[in-house]
Amino acid sequence: MIAILGAGKMGEALLSGLLRAGRAPSDVVVTEYRAERAAELLEKYGVRAVSAVEAAKTADTLILAVKPQDMGVLLDELAPHISADRQVISVAAGIPTRFIEERLAEGIPVVRVMPNTPVLVDQGMCVISAGTHAGEEHLARTEEMLRPVGKVARIPESLQDASTALSGSGPAYVYYLVEAMVDAGIKLGVPRSAALEMVIQSVVGAATMLKETGEHPVLLREAVTSPGGTTIAAIAELEKHGVRAALLAAIEAARDRGEELGGR
Ligand SMILES: NC(=O)c1ccc[n+]([C@@H]2O[C@H](COP(=O)([O-])OP(=O)(O)OC[C@H]3O[C@@H](n4cnc5c(N)ncnc54)[C@H](OP(=O)(O)O)[C@@H]3O)[C@@H](O)[C@H]2O)c1
């Protein structure tokens, strides 16, 4: 039995992925205090909402998907009811496994996961790290659970704030870029819907090229950058406006904010 504690945006995304991957609704429970949200989840997915205490007593895997600031209260509620034969998986940004381990009984395996929202369309990126008591078996189980909703990679926990900044927030940077490119099309007189279609398909096409050819992005970019041509005129402007430096600084700022939220 898997319990998802906190059925908000990410909890629901993971829930729907588990069910799409073939897990039976009777094998999953969620915790949800608001009656109408619990009814909605039951109707949409056929999963039951239970109390945190019941989830801790019955599930062998507990997925913690509450906001980082709610984690302490949730752990205090769960702690007396979780034994060391359970596995805890946390998807909270910035919360170290140590924070969770200190609040639970000794020896409970904890795996930290940084997912991103494309798990909703089975194209997520989940980056996982083991806590002190989690071994190969727990990482493998977490990978098996997450693989149906996208890619899974292992990294040392010391790089989790960096992965939050890169892939956790990554989709937002792409949406921001799409928005700016559509604005550029509108400035040039292209109707909004046509501009959006052109930009989205360019992003999908470029992402598919990166994924399927396995070529380095520099080589793919060079293939569309002819001498004295249009693309190099655009790249020169991007360089002039410091877009590469802005991305380096932006992702570093996201990493620093993650550390701050985690209390470091
Ligand atoms: N969204 C993303 O793109 C994303 C990406 C990577 C990681 N994450 C991580 O995923 C976690 C959840 O984020 P989210 O965006 O899904 O937030 P969210 O939509 O606000 O979901 C959090 C849910 O937890 C519930 N909750 C709060 N305290 C609880 C408790 N003590 N017991 C049970 N449920 C409780 C909330 O219920 P109420 O609304 O009734 O308070 C809400 O439904 C965060 O830790 C975040 O860092 C999110």
Side-chain angles (χ1 to χ4, degrees):
M1 171 82 75
I2 297 175
I4 299 177
L5 295 109
K9 289 183 284 295
M10 186 47 72
E12 184 175 353
L14 293 172
L15 166 66
S16 66
L18 287 171
L19 300 178
R20 277 196 306 282
R23 207 165 283 265
S26 56
D27 196 28
V28 185
V29 291
V30 294
T31 62
E32 177 52 62
Y33 296 117
R34 282 177 295 132
E36 81 239 46
R37 172 80 175 142
E40 184 190 325
L41 292 168
L42 180 64
E43 174 167 351
K44 203 162 160 193
Y45 302 105
V47 297
R48 268 185 329 121
V50 299
S51 69
V53 172
E54 189 182 336
K57 285 182 177 164
T58 53
D60 46 26
T61 305
L62 293 118
I63 301 180
L64 312 182
V66 298
K67 289 277 187 201
Q69 59 270 29
D70 294 325
M71 193 59 93
V73 172
L74 175 65
L75 289 169
D76 289 345
E77 202 178 346
L78 294 175
H81 310 284
I82 308 185
S83 48
D85 56 349
R86 309 295 165 83
Q87 175 172 350
V88 171
I89 297 174
S90 162
V91 301
I95 298 279
T97 52
R98 195 184 58 249
F99 178 95
I100 299 168
E101 287 163 357
E102 281 168 3
R103 284 161 180 79
L104 299 177
E106 180 64 24
I108 294 177
V110 180
V111 173
R112 179 170 166 189
V113 177
M114 178 39 58
N116 65 10
T117 48
V119 294
L120 275 169
V121 291
D122 298 341
Q123 292 293 337
M125 179 73 236
C126 293
V127 183
I128 69 172
S129 314
T132 316
H133 312 293
E136 174 57 35
E137 154 201 3
H138 306 104
L139 285 171
R141 206 147 141 239
T142 308
E143 280 169 340
E144 184 205 320
M145 206 180 300
L146 296 172
R147 214 170 275 126
V149 292
K151 279 205 161 196
V152 189
R154 296 183 187 189
I155 52 158
E157 191 173 3
S158 58
L159 288 176
Q160 271 287 8
D161 288 318
S163 88
T164 304
L166 269 180
S167 58
S169 306
Y173 315 145
V174 177
Y175 304 140
Y176 182 87
L177 180 71
V178 167
E179 204 187 312
M181 286 172 72
V182 170
D183 276 350
I186 290 165
K187 189 162 180 250
L188 301 181
V190 182
R192 182 177 293 277
S193 60
L196 191 59
E197 188 180 15
M198 287 180 225
V199 175
I200 291 176
Q201 186 53 27
S202 299
V203 171
V204 171
T208 309
M209 288 285 281
L210 282 165
K211 200 167 175 177
E212 290 188 1
T213 65
E215 289 278 23
H216 192 280
V218 169
L219 291 179
L220 291 173
R221 182 168 63 73
E222 280 177 356
V224 276
T225 314
S226 44
T230 56
T231 309
I232 194 65
I235 301 284
E237 284 298 314
L238 291 172
E239 294 296 348
K240 193 165 103 193
H241 291 279
V243 174
R244 184 184 298 264
L247 279 169
L248 293 179
I251 292 172
E252 198 171 352
R255 192 274 318 267
D256 293 349
R257 180 65 183 142
E259 286 182 358
E260 212 175 283
L261 287 173
R264 273 146 297 140

